[in-house]
Amino acid sequence: MRVLIIEDEKNMAGEMSEFLEKAFYLCDIAYTADQGRKAMEENQYDFILLDLGLPDKDGLHLLSETKKICPSASYIILTARGDLEDRIKGLDLGADDYLPKPFSLLELQSRMQAISRRKSGNNDPVLDLGEFSIDLNKRSVSYQEKEIELSRKEFDLLSYMLLHKNRPLTRLQLSEHIWGSFSDDDYDSNYIDVHIKNIRKKMSVHAPVEWLQTLRGIGYKIKI
C-alpha cells in the first residue's frame, strides 16, 4: 500500500520509510507541509503519517486541508505533543489514529494493519477468498492448507485488490499503488495484465477464481 510520511525530522522519516518498505509498503517522504500537500495533489495514498510539528505549518491545519485532497486515505497523527486537546481535535478533523512520540515502528505497522482491516470490513488478518485463505500478516495464500507460491508483486496486487473488494480499480491505479508513480511515457498497462494472468493461472489449478473479474476497458476488481 502507498504511504506518505510528512515528518520534518529526517532521520525519523528515513527510519519509518526503511522499516515500512521492508514490510512491503511503498513510501514517499515530505519534510514540510507544502511538500506534503504537493505530493497529495499529484498522487493518491492509502496512508498519510502526519507529524504535527512541521516547520511551515501546524499539522492540524494541514490535516483539515488535505482531507479534501485525499479523502480516502487513512491518517495517523505522529507527535511529541501530549495535550489531550490536540489529540481530540485531530480525531475530530478525521484522523484515524494518534501515535505519540517516541513510538515503536512495530506498533505503527500494527495500527496501520488494523486500520486497513477495519476500513475494508475485515477484522481478521486471515481472509477467505472463494475457496482460498489469504493471510495478510504472513503474506501467504493457501488452498486447503496447501500454500500457493505467488511472487511478491502478485501478492501485493492480490492483497491490495482484496482490501478494496467490490470496488473497480483501473490498471493505472493498481500500477501506481504497486510500483509507484508512472509518467505517460513509461506507463504500461501490460504490467498489471501479466500479473493478473499469473495469479489466475496459479490459483485456478486448485479452484475457480470467478471472484477476480476483468472490467473491459477499465481494469479489474475482486467481487465477493
Side-chain angles (χ1 to χ4, degrees):
M1 303 185 78
R2 194 162 190 189
V3 181
L4 175 61
I5 300 168
I6 308 177
E7 168 61 68
D8 66 319
E9 294 183 32
K10 294 186 178 182
N11 288 340
M12 178 176 288
E15 288 175 3
M16 284 193 288
S17 177
E18 183 178 0
F19 177 84
L20 291 173
E21 288 186 347
K22 287 180 180 178
F24 306 104
Y25 290 87
L26 185 66
C27 298
D28 294 332
I29 298 176
Y31 300 115
T32 66
D34 184 56
Q35 290 176 2
R37 184 185 179 91
K38 288 180 179 178
M40 283 183 270
E41 289 173 345
E42 295 173 359
N43 305 292
Q44 288 297 311
Y45 293 95
D46 299 292
F47 278 95
I48 311 291
L49 308 182
L50 175 62
D51 176 38
L52 293 189
L54 297 170
D56 55 337
K57 180 178 289 188
D58 185 273
L60 289 175
H61 290 121
L62 179 63
L63 174 62
S64 64
E65 296 173 359
T66 55
K67 283 293 290 184
K68 301 172 185 177
I69 302 173
C70 285
S72 62
S74 298
Y75 289 76
I76 298 180
I77 293 175
L78 311 173
T79 182
R81 299 180 190 174
D83 292 345
L84 179 61
E85 183 180 347
D86 282 336
R87 178 176 179 177
I88 292 173
K89 187 174 181 181
L91 295 173
D92 286 344
L93 287 171
D96 296 273
D97 207 344
Y98 185 103
L99 202 54
K101 297 177 181 178
F103 54 83
S104 161
L105 293 174
L106 285 171
E107 182 181 3
L108 172 62
Q109 182 187 0
S110 179
R111 293 197 184 202
M112 291 170 68
Q113 290 172 339
I115 290 170
S116 294
R117 293 196 300 268
R118 184 173 71 246
K119 285 199 166 184
S120 65
N122 301 314
N123 292 318
D124 191 332
V126 181
L127 310 176
D128 291 327
L129 184 56
E131 299 181 54
F132 301 92
S133 178
I134 316 294
D135 191 320
L136 298 177
N137 289 347
K138 294 182 179 179
R139 294 179 56 84
S140 64
V141 179
S142 59
Y143 172 77
Q144 295 181 352
E145 300 185 358
K146 180 180 180 181
E147 187 168 342
I148 300 169
E149 292 188 10
L150 297 184
S151 71
R152 171 181 170 176
K153 291 301 183 185
E154 289 164 2
F155 184 87
D156 288 345
L157 184 57
L158 181 64
S159 59
Y160 182 75
M161 294 178 68
L162 182 56
L163 289 172
H164 295 81
K165 63 182 185 295
N166 300 318
R167 176 177 151 191
L169 296 169
T170 68
R171 290 173 173 83
L172 181 56
Q173 282 178 309
L174 293 169
S175 297
E176 287 184 335
H177 279 280
I178 302 304
W179 283 277
S181 299
F182 281 80
S183 68
D184 291 339
D185 293 334
D186 62 16
Y187 170 64
D188 184 352
S189 64
N190 190 53
Y191 294 145
I192 293 298
D193 295 332
V194 169
H195 284 287
I196 291 290
K197 181 180 178 180
N198 289 338
I199 292 170
R200 282 183 169 140
K201 182 178 180 181
K202 291 178 180 180
M203 297 181 74
S204 62
V205 171
H206 304 277
V209 292
E210 286 90 352
W211 39 263
L212 179 50
Q213 298 185 344
T214 299
L215 306 177
R216 189 178 298 275
I218 300 175
Y220 300 93
K221 78 172 179 179
I222 287 180
K223 183 176 181 181
I224 302 177

